[in-house]
Amino acid sequence: MNEERKIEIEEVSAVEAPLRARVEDASADGERQRDYLEGFLAQKPAGVSHAAPGGETYEAVIAALKDIYDPEIPVNIYDLGLIYGVDVTEDGHAVVTMTLTTPHCPVAETMPAEVEIRVGAVPGVGSAEVNLVWEPAWDPAKMSDEARLEMGML
């Protein structure tokens, strides 16, 4: 029961070129058609609370944290990986859990207070609280790619 298989070969002299995609302006007046993604990309996710990740207040708190720079390292504390958590409640209470590069950091006394003041100044935040933790300890692996690039580590 050994069947022999044959492969048929067809020789051709030319192959038709495949159709190419064309971008044509369908409007008669020559104006560019509105991009169908424009509205979609500008739209915020439906049903996202202002206090949840992606919400207006939460994102404003993250932006405020990205405006605070470590005085010894030219990178903001968020991208540096010093922020371990941000929680914003519906009634506008913000809790930031953070660490410092070392317990002996020169800004150990002032940085948490600056974070509390800056986060408390965000519109929609009624009160701010900072929890300074040492576990897990900070290490350079917590840095964002942007921070590594800024420091020449990439």
Side-chain angles (χ1 to χ4, degrees), residues 62-89:
I62 299 299
L65 293 170
K66 287 184 175 185
D67 281 342
I68 303 170
Y69 283 77
D70 185 294
E72 297 176 320
I73 306 170
V75 176
N76 69 68
I77 63 172
Y78 189 84
D79 287 331
L80 195 55
L82 298 178
I83 304 300
Y84 287 175
V86 174
D87 295 308
V88 181
T89 63

PDB file of all heavy atoms in Angstrom, residues 62-89:
ATOM      1  N   ILE A  62      -1.043  61.606  39.624  1.00  0.00           N
ATOM      2  CA  ILE A  62       0.170  61.039  39.007  1.00  0.00           C
ATOM      3  C   ILE A  62       0.984  62.143  38.346  1.00  0.00           C
ATOM      4  O   ILE A  62       2.213  62.196  38.474  1.00  0.00           O
ATOM      5  CB  ILE A  62      -0.191  59.934  37.977  1.00  0.00           C
ATOM      6  CG1 ILE A  62      -0.930  58.772  38.642  1.00  0.00           C
ATOM      7  CG2 ILE A  62       1.048  59.449  37.231  1.00  0.00           C
ATOM      8  CD1 ILE A  62      -0.168  58.041  39.710  1.00  0.00           C
ATOM      9  N   ALA A  63       0.317  63.059  37.658  1.00  0.00           N
ATOM     10  CA  ALA A  63       1.025  64.184  37.006  1.00  0.00           C
ATOM     11  C   ALA A  63       1.727  65.041  38.050  1.00  0.00           C
ATOM     12  O   ALA A  63       2.857  65.503  37.824  1.00  0.00           O
ATOM     13  CB  ALA A  63       0.046  65.007  36.180  1.00  0.00           C
ATOM     14  N   ALA A  64       1.087  65.270  39.198  1.00  0.00           N
ATOM     15  CA  ALA A  64       1.714  66.059  40.268  1.00  0.00           C
ATOM     16  C   ALA A  64       2.954  65.345  40.794  1.00  0.00           C
ATOM     17  O   ALA A  64       3.978  65.984  41.073  1.00  0.00           O
ATOM     18  CB  ALA A  64       0.714  66.309  41.394  1.00  0.00           C
ATOM     19  N   LEU A  65       2.880  64.027  40.927  1.00  0.00           N
ATOM     20  CA  LEU A  65       4.038  63.265  41.402  1.00  0.00           C
ATOM     21  C   LEU A  65       5.186  63.316  40.394  1.00  0.00           C
ATOM     22  O   LEU A  65       6.353  63.320  40.772  1.00  0.00           O
ATOM     23  CB  LEU A  65       3.639  61.814  41.683  1.00  0.00           C
ATOM     24  CG  LEU A  65       2.674  61.611  42.852  1.00  0.00           C
ATOM     25  CD1 LEU A  65       2.154  60.184  42.875  1.00  0.00           C
ATOM     26  CD2 LEU A  65       3.340  61.976  44.172  1.00  0.00           C
ATOM     27  N   LYS A  66       4.837  63.374  39.114  1.00  0.00           N
ATOM     28  CA  LYS A  66       5.873  63.441  38.081  1.00  0.00           C
ATOM     29  C   LYS A  66       6.536  64.813  38.010  1.00  0.00           C
ATOM     30  O   LYS A  66       7.543  64.977  37.325  1.00  0.00           O
ATOM     31  CB  LYS A  66       5.289  63.066  36.716  1.00  0.00           C
ATOM     32  CG  LYS A  66       5.000  61.580  36.594  1.00  0.00           C
ATOM     33  CD  LYS A  66       4.523  61.222  35.212  1.00  0.00           C
ATOM     34  CE  LYS A  66       4.357  59.723  35.058  1.00  0.00           C
ATOM     35  NZ  LYS A  66       4.005  59.334  33.687  1.00  0.00           N
ATOM     36  N   ASP A  67       5.986  65.779  38.731  1.00  0.00           N
ATOM     37  CA  ASP A  67       6.594  67.116  38.805  1.00  0.00           C
ATOM     38  C   ASP A  67       7.567  67.256  39.968  1.00  0.00           C
ATOM     39  O   ASP A  67       8.193  68.281  40.137  1.00  0.00           O
ATOM     40  CB  ASP A  67       5.514  68.192  38.933  1.00  0.00           C
ATOM     41  CG  ASP A  67       4.853  68.511  37.610  1.00  0.00           C
ATOM     42  OD1 ASP A  67       5.428  68.170  36.557  1.00  0.00           O
ATOM     43  OD2 ASP A  67       3.759  69.112  37.630  1.00  0.00           O
ATOM     44  N   ILE A  68       7.686  66.218  40.793  1.00  0.00           N
ATOM     45  CA  ILE A  68       8.588  66.260  41.953  1.00  0.00           C
ATOM     46  C   ILE A  68       9.849  65.479  41.591  1.00  0.00           C
ATOM     47  O   ILE A  68       9.784  64.299  41.262  1.00  0.00           O
ATOM     48  CB  ILE A  68       7.917  65.640  43.196  1.00  0.00           C
ATOM     49  CG1 ILE A  68       6.607  66.355  43.511  1.00  0.00           C
ATOM     50  CG2 ILE A  68       8.864  65.693  44.384  1.00  0.00           C
ATOM     51  CD1 ILE A  68       5.768  65.664  44.577  1.00  0.00           C
ATOM     52  N   TYR A  69      10.981  66.161  41.674  1.00  0.00           N
ATOM     53  CA  TYR A  69      12.250  65.540  41.297  1.00  0.00           C
ATOM     54  C   TYR A  69      13.116  65.275  42.516  1.00  0.00           C
ATOM     55  O   TYR A  69      13.123  66.040  43.475  1.00  0.00           O
ATOM     56  CB  TYR A  69      13.012  66.444  40.317  1.00  0.00           C
ATOM     57  CG  TYR A  69      12.451  66.364  38.924  1.00  0.00           C
ATOM     58  CD1 TYR A  69      11.280  67.032  38.584  1.00  0.00           C
ATOM     59  CD2 TYR A  69      13.057  65.582  37.955  1.00  0.00           C
ATOM     60  CE1 TYR A  69      10.743  66.940  37.315  1.00  0.00           C
ATOM     61  CE2 TYR A  69      12.534  65.481  36.682  1.00  0.00           C
ATOM     62  CZ  TYR A  69      11.378  66.165  36.370  1.00  0.00           C
ATOM     63  OH  TYR A  69      10.845  66.063  35.111  1.00  0.00           O
ATOM     64  N   ASP A  70      13.822  64.166  42.454  1.00  0.00           N
ATOM     65  CA  ASP A  70      14.821  63.868  43.465  1.00  0.00           C
ATOM     66  C   ASP A  70      15.942  64.883  43.275  1.00  0.00           C
ATOM     67  O   ASP A  70      16.424  65.068  42.158  1.00  0.00           O
ATOM     68  CB  ASP A  70      15.347  62.434  43.256  1.00  0.00           C
ATOM     69  CG  ASP A  70      16.301  62.018  44.352  1.00  0.00           C
ATOM     70  OD1 ASP A  70      17.395  62.622  44.428  1.00  0.00           O
ATOM     71  OD2 ASP A  70      15.975  61.097  45.095  1.00  0.00           O
ATOM     72  N   PRO A  71      16.374  65.567  44.335  1.00  0.00           N
ATOM     73  CA  PRO A  71      17.391  66.619  44.164  1.00  0.00           C
ATOM     74  C   PRO A  71      18.764  66.111  43.727  1.00  0.00           C
ATOM     75  O   PRO A  71      19.547  66.857  43.163  1.00  0.00           O
ATOM     76  CB  PRO A  71      17.466  67.279  45.542  1.00  0.00           C
ATOM     77  CG  PRO A  71      16.901  66.285  46.488  1.00  0.00           C
ATOM     78  CD  PRO A  71      15.927  65.447  45.716  1.00  0.00           C
ATOM     79  N   GLU A  72      19.047  64.838  43.962  1.00  0.00           N
ATOM     80  CA  GLU A  72      20.358  64.296  43.602  1.00  0.00           C
ATOM     81  C   GLU A  72      20.352  63.574  42.258  1.00  0.00           C
ATOM     82  O   GLU A  72      21.397  63.351  41.678  1.00  0.00           O
ATOM     83  CB  GLU A  72      20.836  63.326  44.681  1.00  0.00           C
ATOM     84  CG  GLU A  72      21.043  63.995  46.020  1.00  0.00           C
ATOM     85  CD  GLU A  72      21.431  63.004  47.102  1.00  0.00           C
ATOM     86  OE1 GLU A  72      20.876  61.893  47.137  1.00  0.00           O
ATOM     87  OE2 GLU A  72      22.304  63.369  47.901  1.00  0.00           O
ATOM     88  N   ILE A  73      19.176  63.196  41.806  1.00  0.00           N
ATOM     89  CA  ILE A  73      19.050  62.440  40.564  1.00  0.00           C
ATOM     90  C   ILE A  73      18.091  63.205  39.659  1.00  0.00           C
ATOM     91  O   ILE A  73      17.009  63.566  40.092  1.00  0.00           O
ATOM     92  CB  ILE A  73      18.500  61.018  40.841  1.00  0.00           C
ATOM     93  CG1 ILE A  73      19.367  60.308  41.881  1.00  0.00           C
ATOM     94  CG2 ILE A  73      18.413  60.212  39.568  1.00  0.00           C
ATOM     95  CD1 ILE A  73      18.775  59.019  42.395  1.00  0.00           C
ATOM     96  N   PRO A  74      18.448  63.475  38.421  1.00  0.00           N
ATOM     97  CA  PRO A  74      17.599  64.294  37.549  1.00  0.00           C
ATOM     98  C   PRO A  74      16.381  63.552  36.981  1.00  0.00           C
ATOM     99  O   PRO A  74      16.115  63.577  35.789  1.00  0.00           O
ATOM    100  CB  PRO A  74      18.561  64.706  36.430  1.00  0.00           C
ATOM    101  CG  PRO A  74      19.499  63.549  36.323  1.00  0.00           C
ATOM    102  CD  PRO A  74      19.680  63.066  37.734  1.00  0.00           C
ATOM    103  N   VAL A  75      15.656  62.841  37.850  1.00  0.00           N
ATOM    104  CA  VAL A  75      14.504  62.050  37.431  1.00  0.00           C
ATOM    105  C   VAL A  75      13.388  62.294  38.443  1.00  0.00           C
ATOM    106  O   VAL A  75      13.648  62.413  39.649  1.00  0.00           O
ATOM    107  CB  VAL A  75      14.869  60.549  37.383  1.00  0.00           C
ATOM    108  CG1 VAL A  75      13.665  59.698  37.040  1.00  0.00           C
ATOM    109  CG2 VAL A  75      15.988  60.292  36.384  1.00  0.00           C
ATOM    110  N   ASN A  76      12.145  62.343  37.960  1.00  0.00           N
ATOM    111  CA  ASN A  76      11.037  62.540  38.895  1.00  0.00           C
ATOM    112  C   ASN A  76      10.830  61.295  39.753  1.00  0.00           C
ATOM    113  O   ASN A  76      11.215  60.190  39.373  1.00  0.00           O
ATOM    114  CB  ASN A  76       9.754  62.957  38.159  1.00  0.00           C
ATOM    115  CG  ASN A  76       9.179  61.858  37.312  1.00  0.00           C
ATOM    116  OD1 ASN A  76       8.702  60.851  37.822  1.00  0.00           O
ATOM    117  ND2 ASN A  76       9.212  62.037  35.996  1.00  0.00           N
ATOM    118  N   ILE A  77      10.195  61.487  40.912  1.00  0.00           N
ATOM    119  CA  ILE A  77      10.075  60.395  41.881  1.00  0.00           C
ATOM    120  C   ILE A  77       9.171  59.276  41.398  1.00  0.00           C
ATOM    121  O   ILE A  77       9.325  58.131  41.813  1.00  0.00           O
ATOM    122  CB  ILE A  77       9.625  60.905  43.265  1.00  0.00           C
ATOM    123  CG1 ILE A  77       8.227  61.532  43.200  1.00  0.00           C
ATOM    124  CG2 ILE A  77      10.639  61.881  43.830  1.00  0.00           C
ATOM    125  CD1 ILE A  77       7.641  61.877  44.561  1.00  0.00           C
ATOM    126  N   TYR A  78       8.244  59.577  40.499  1.00  0.00           N
ATOM    127  CA  TYR A  78       7.353  58.536  39.970  1.00  0.00           C
ATOM    128  C   TYR A  78       8.132  57.598  39.051  1.00  0.00           C
ATOM    129  O   TYR A  78       8.097  56.389  39.215  1.00  0.00           O
ATOM    130  CB  TYR A  78       6.176  59.175  39.242  1.00  0.00           C
ATOM    131  CG  TYR A  78       5.107  58.180  38.861  1.00  0.00           C
ATOM    132  CD1 TYR A  78       4.130  57.811  39.776  1.00  0.00           C
ATOM    133  CD2 TYR A  78       5.077  57.605  37.600  1.00  0.00           C
ATOM    134  CE1 TYR A  78       3.153  56.888  39.449  1.00  0.00           C
ATOM    135  CE2 TYR A  78       4.098  56.685  37.261  1.00  0.00           C
ATOM    136  CZ  TYR A  78       3.141  56.327  38.188  1.00  0.00           C
ATOM    137  OH  TYR A  78       2.182  55.409  37.854  1.00  0.00           O
ATOM    138  N   ASP A  79       8.853  58.169  38.083  1.00  0.00           N
ATOM    139  CA  ASP A  79       9.633  57.349  37.157  1.00  0.00           C
ATOM    140  C   ASP A  79      10.832  56.696  37.842  1.00  0.00           C
ATOM    141  O   ASP A  79      11.328  55.669  37.384  1.00  0.00           O
ATOM    142  CB  ASP A  79      10.090  58.172  35.959  1.00  0.00           C
ATOM    143  CG  ASP A  79       8.945  58.491  35.017  1.00  0.00           C
ATOM    144  OD1 ASP A  79       7.986  57.695  34.952  1.00  0.00           O
ATOM    145  OD2 ASP A  79       9.000  59.543  34.348  1.00  0.00           O
ATOM    146  N   LEU A  80      11.291  57.297  38.919  1.00  0.00           N
ATOM    147  CA  LEU A  80      12.397  56.721  39.674  1.00  0.00           C
ATOM    148  C   LEU A  80      11.958  55.447  40.407  1.00  0.00           C
ATOM    149  O   LEU A  80      12.782  54.636  40.805  1.00  0.00           O
ATOM    150  CB  LEU A  80      12.934  57.755  40.666  1.00  0.00           C
ATOM    151  CG  LEU A  80      14.279  57.513  41.303  1.00  0.00           C
ATOM    152  CD1 LEU A  80      15.361  57.289  40.264  1.00  0.00           C
ATOM    153  CD2 LEU A  80      14.653  58.680  42.195  1.00  0.00           C
ATOM    154  N   GLY A  81      10.653  55.255  40.534  1.00  0.00           N
ATOM    155  CA  GLY A  81      10.132  54.052  41.180  1.00  0.00           C
ATOM    156  C   GLY A  81       9.958  54.199  42.682  1.00  0.00           C
ATOM    157  O   GLY A  81       9.828  53.203  43.395  1.00  0.00           O
ATOM    158  N   LEU A  82       9.930  55.439  43.166  1.00  0.00           N
ATOM    159  CA  LEU A  82       9.768  55.661  44.597  1.00  0.00           C
ATOM    160  C   LEU A  82       8.305  55.601  45.037  1.00  0.00           C
ATOM    161  O   LEU A  82       8.023  55.479  46.220  1.00  0.00           O
ATOM    162  CB  LEU A  82      10.360  57.023  45.002  1.00  0.00           C
ATOM    163  CG  LEU A  82      11.861  57.189  44.768  1.00  0.00           C
ATOM    164  CD1 LEU A  82      12.304  58.585  45.173  1.00  0.00           C
ATOM    165  CD2 LEU A  82      12.656  56.136  45.510  1.00  0.00           C
ATOM    166  N   ILE A  83       7.388  55.687  44.092  1.00  0.00           N
ATOM    167  CA  ILE A  83       5.964  55.634  44.406  1.00  0.00           C
ATOM    168  C   ILE A  83       5.497  54.183  44.267  1.00  0.00           C
ATOM    169  O   ILE A  83       5.537  53.610  43.188  1.00  0.00           O
ATOM    170  CB  ILE A  83       5.148  56.551  43.475  1.00  0.00           C
ATOM    171  CG1 ILE A  83       5.681  57.985  43.535  1.00  0.00           C
ATOM    172  CG2 ILE A  83       3.670  56.487  43.822  1.00  0.00           C
ATOM    173  CD1 ILE A  83       5.642  58.631  44.905  1.00  0.00           C
ATOM    174  N   TYR A  84       5.064  53.611  45.370  1.00  0.00           N
ATOM    175  CA  TYR A  84       4.620  52.213  45.366  1.00  0.00           C
ATOM    176  C   TYR A  84       3.121  52.090  45.153  1.00  0.00           C
ATOM    177  O   TYR A  84       2.646  51.052  44.718  1.00  0.00           O
ATOM    178  CB  TYR A  84       5.009  51.533  46.675  1.00  0.00           C
ATOM    179  CG  TYR A  84       6.489  51.221  46.809  1.00  0.00           C
ATOM    180  CD1 TYR A  84       6.996  50.706  47.989  1.00  0.00           C
ATOM    181  CD2 TYR A  84       7.385  51.435  45.770  1.00  0.00           C
ATOM    182  CE1 TYR A  84       8.335  50.407  48.131  1.00  0.00           C
ATOM    183  CE2 TYR A  84       8.730  51.138  45.901  1.00  0.00           C
ATOM    184  CZ  TYR A  84       9.200  50.616  47.083  1.00  0.00           C
ATOM    185  OH  TYR A  84      10.534  50.318  47.215  1.00  0.00           O
ATOM    186  N   GLY A  85       2.380  53.134  45.473  1.00  0.00           N
ATOM    187  CA  GLY A  85       0.941  53.050  45.289  1.00  0.00           C
ATOM    188  C   GLY A  85       0.264  54.393  45.425  1.00  0.00           C
ATOM    189  O   GLY A  85       0.719  55.248  46.185  1.00  0.00           O
ATOM    190  N   VAL A  86      -0.817  54.589  44.674  1.00  0.00           N
ATOM    191  CA  VAL A  86      -1.647  55.787  44.753  1.00  0.00           C
ATOM    192  C   VAL A  86      -3.089  55.317  44.840  1.00  0.00           C
ATOM    193  O   VAL A  86      -3.552  54.574  43.980  1.00  0.00           O
ATOM    194  CB  VAL A  86      -1.457  56.693  43.512  1.00  0.00           C
ATOM    195  CG1 VAL A  86      -2.430  57.860  43.548  1.00  0.00           C
ATOM    196  CG2 VAL A  86      -0.024  57.184  43.410  1.00  0.00           C
ATOM    197  N   ASP A  87      -3.764  55.739  45.896  1.00  0.00           N
ATOM    198  CA  ASP A  87      -5.178  55.416  46.069  1.00  0.00           C
ATOM    199  C   ASP A  87      -5.933  56.716  46.272  1.00  0.00           C
ATOM    200  O   ASP A  87      -5.560  57.524  47.125  1.00  0.00           O
ATOM    201  CB  ASP A  87      -5.392  54.500  47.279  1.00  0.00           C
ATOM    202  CG  ASP A  87      -4.742  53.146  47.096  1.00  0.00           C
ATOM    203  OD1 ASP A  87      -4.992  52.516  46.059  1.00  0.00           O
ATOM    204  OD2 ASP A  87      -3.977  52.728  47.984  1.00  0.00           O
ATOM    205  N   VAL A  88      -6.982  56.902  45.480  1.00  0.00           N
ATOM    206  CA  VAL A  88      -7.833  58.084  45.616  1.00  0.00           C
ATOM    207  C   VAL A  88      -9.244  57.587  45.839  1.00  0.00           C
ATOM    208  O   VAL A  88      -9.758  56.784  45.055  1.00  0.00           O
ATOM    209  CB  VAL A  88      -7.758  58.976  44.354  1.00  0.00           C
ATOM    210  CG1 VAL A  88      -8.632  60.206  44.525  1.00  0.00           C
ATOM    211  CG2 VAL A  88      -6.323  59.378  44.049  1.00  0.00           C
ATOM    212  N   THR A  89      -9.876  58.056  46.909  1.00  0.00           N
ATOM    213  CA  THR A  89     -11.247  57.646  47.193  1.00  0.00           C
ATOM    214  C   THR A  89     -12.217  58.558  46.454  1.00  0.00           C
ATOM    215  O   THR A  89     -11.842  59.638  45.975  1.00  0.00           O
ATOM    216  CB  THR A  89     -11.543  57.700  48.703  1.00  0.00           C
ATOM    217  OG1 THR A  89     -11.435  59.059  49.146  1.00  0.00           O
ATOM    218  CG2 THR A  89     -10.589  56.808  49.484  1.00  0.00           C
TER     219      THR A  89
END
